[in-house]
């Protein structure tokens, strides 16, 4: 139960961050060049991403022994989660600028012109490419958190619910979701994925954690303290 | 072709932003694998502490580097 909830939460939060970035691209293309082609590009990207989850998910789970799968996915999740956490720490400490959806949207709009011709291939390709590339992270998160723990339903549901929530919010406001606390979400997802990665990598090495899956919460606590410590150390005047 | 190259870069970029940091993480995991086989569960404490330490270390190093490059 804890495991399913944790995996749903990790997949939901991680996917929500990426879906917000993909929405910015689709809105920028749709509002400046018309909606038909960008929506078709988005649809095709979603179908391709769904196929990737099905094909790679099945392939990985059925062909790789469980210990190797946990070690491999755990290592990749650690690298992925620590990269997000590293970036979130630097943003929280003020070293790197916060990601600004409004600015990303304006940049995209300024690069686009008005609709030309009957078939707008530029709009189609931009939406396809934007949604597909942002969606690759969602695919990885869903496969990585759902595979080793045999929690596909929770992971896929987390990814889908996030995509639907972000899409509905985008349709409602017809503007980039600039108020989504993206860095806080990245912080949380970085901690969740790093904890899950550490847990599975160690299980793949043959270790058993005290308290089994509950130890993930202790791991999350340790990584939270470490990242807060990093923010504090970086903000110290001696470094300024 | 450009799309495939962009997708390839995107996939690699999911896991690696700093090659040295990624290398250190892999070395920590390899050492932990050896330690878990030899000492069992107590080695997990070392694994977690090393991973947490490298997070603080590399974030501080990048902050220092970034401030040296743009002193204001």
């Amino acid at each position: 139960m804890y495991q399913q909830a944790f995996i749903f939460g990790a997949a939901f939060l991680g996917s929500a961050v990426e879906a917000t970035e993909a929405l910015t691209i689709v809105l920028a293309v749709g509002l400046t060049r018309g909606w038909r082609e960008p929506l078709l590009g988005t649809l095709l990207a979603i179908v391709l991403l769904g196929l990737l989850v099905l094909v790679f998910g099945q392939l990985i789970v059925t062909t790789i022994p469980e210990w190797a799968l946990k070690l491999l996915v755990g290592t990749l999740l650690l690298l992925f989660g620590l990269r997000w956490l590293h970036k979130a720490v630097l943003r929280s400490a003020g070293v790197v600028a916060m990601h600004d959806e409004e600015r990303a949207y304006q940049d995209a709009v300024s690069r686009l012109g008005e609709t030309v011709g009957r078939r707008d291939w530029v709009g189609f390709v931009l939406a396809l490419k934007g949604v597909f590339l942002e969606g690759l992270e969602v695919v990885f998160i869903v496969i990585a958190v759902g595979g080793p723990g045999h929690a596909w339903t929770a992971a896929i549901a987390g990814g889908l619910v996030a995509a639907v929530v972000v899409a509905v919010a985008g349709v409602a406001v017809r503007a980039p979701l600039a108020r989504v606390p993206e860095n806080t979400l990245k912080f949380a997802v970085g901690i969740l994925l790093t904890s899950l990665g550490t847990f599975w990598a160690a299980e793949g090495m043959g270790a058993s954690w005290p308290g089994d899956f509950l130890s993930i919460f202790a791991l999350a606590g340790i990584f939270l303290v470490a990242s807060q410590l990093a923010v504090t150390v970086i903000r110290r005047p001696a470094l300024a | 072709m450009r799309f495939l190259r962009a997708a390839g870069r995107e996939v690699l970029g999911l896991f690696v932003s700093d090659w040295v940091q990624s290398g250190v993480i892999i070395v920590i995991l390899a050492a932990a694998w050896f330690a878990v086989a030899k000492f069992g569960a107590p080695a997990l404490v070392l694994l977690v502490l090393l991973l947490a330490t490298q997070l603080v270390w590399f974030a501080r190093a990048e902050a220092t580097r970034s401030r040296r490059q743009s002193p204001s």
Side-chain angles (χ1 to χ4, degrees):
Chain A
M1 179 65 196
Y2 291 122
Q3 186 172 349
Q4 300 285 329
F6 191 93
I7 284 169
F8 177 87
F12 176 83
L13 292 176
S15 306
V17 173
E18 295 310 318
T20 302
E21 291 178 13
L23 174 74
T24 301
I25 298 167
V26 176
L27 279 173
V29 181
L31 288 171
T32 48
R33 302 178 70 94
W35 284 103
R36 193 168 171 272
E37 273 74 18
L39 287 179
L40 285 174
T42 303
L43 195 66
L44 180 59
I46 290 171
V47 170
L48 289 174
L49 292 167
L51 282 175
L52 280 181
V53 172
L54 287 177
V55 172
F56 279 102
Q58 277 300 317
L59 197 72
I60 287 168
V61 173
T62 52
T63 55
I64 303 179
E66 192 167 342
W67 70 268
L69 180 66
K70 284 185 170 173
L71 186 58
L72 175 72
V73 171
T75 303
L76 292 177
L77 263 182
L78 250 178
L79 291 170
F80 184 84
L82 282 168
R83 190 180 67 90
W84 274 35
L85 206 46
H86 179 84
K87 212 182 276 182
V89 163
L90 293 175
R91 282 184 175 151
S92 293
V95 177
V96 175
M98 292 281 181
H99 185 79
D100 184 348
E101 285 305 326
E102 186 61 45
R103 194 168 158 188
Y105 173 79
Q106 293 302 343
D107 285 349
V109 167
S110 66
R111 286 198 304 268
L112 295 164
E114 292 296 318
T115 313
V116 280
R118 267 190 320 130
R119 287 247 179 268
D120 181 19
W121 288 108
V122 174
F124 176 81
V125 170
L126 281 176
L128 169 67
K129 191 177 160 190
V131 174
F132 185 78
L133 293 183
E134 296 295 343
L136 281 177
E137 293 196 50
V138 175
V139 168
F140 171 71
I141 291 171
V142 168
I143 290 177
V145 302
H150 302 289
W152 284 112
T153 314
I156 292 173
L160 283 177
V161 172
V164 170
V165 167
V166 170
V168 168
V171 168
V173 300
R174 291 174 75 83
L177 302 179
R179 279 194 224 162
V180 171
E182 197 177 321
N183 203 50
T184 310
L185 280 179
K186 279 210 157 167
F187 222 120
V189 177
I191 286 171
L192 293 179
L193 297 185
T194 303
S195 312
L196 210 50
T198 309
F199 180 84
W200 275 329
E203 282 209 329
M205 293 169 193
S208 345
W209 291 91
D212 200 22
F213 202 81
L214 282 179
S215 58
I216 284 230
F217 295 97
L219 289 175
I222 292 168
F223 287 119
L224 176 64
V225 170
S227 27
Q228 290 302 329
L229 179 68
V231 173
T232 310
V233 167
I234 293 170
R235 278 187 183 155
R236 261 193 357 220
L239 255 176
Chain B
M1 201 59 199
R2 265 198 304 177
F3 179 72
L4 286 179
R5 266 206 299 271
R9 267 200 307 274
E10 189 78 9
V11 170
L12 185 65
L14 295 181
F15 310 107
V16 180
S17 59
D18 176 348
W19 285 96
V20 178
Q21 185 177 12
S22 303
V24 167
I25 294 167
I26 299 292
V27 168
I28 290 172
L29 286 175
W33 199 354
F34 173 77
V36 162
K38 205 160 172 66
F39 305 108
L44 295 176
V45 178
L46 189 68
L47 166 68
V48 177
L49 287 179
L50 284 173
L51 287 173
T53 306
Q54 69 77 32
L55 172 69
V56 179
W57 176 275
F58 279 100
R60 188 180 189 277
E62 187 167 339
T64 310
R65 214 167 36 238
S66 158
R67 281 169 180 158
R68 269 195 204 128
Q69 280 167 4
S70 58
S72 51

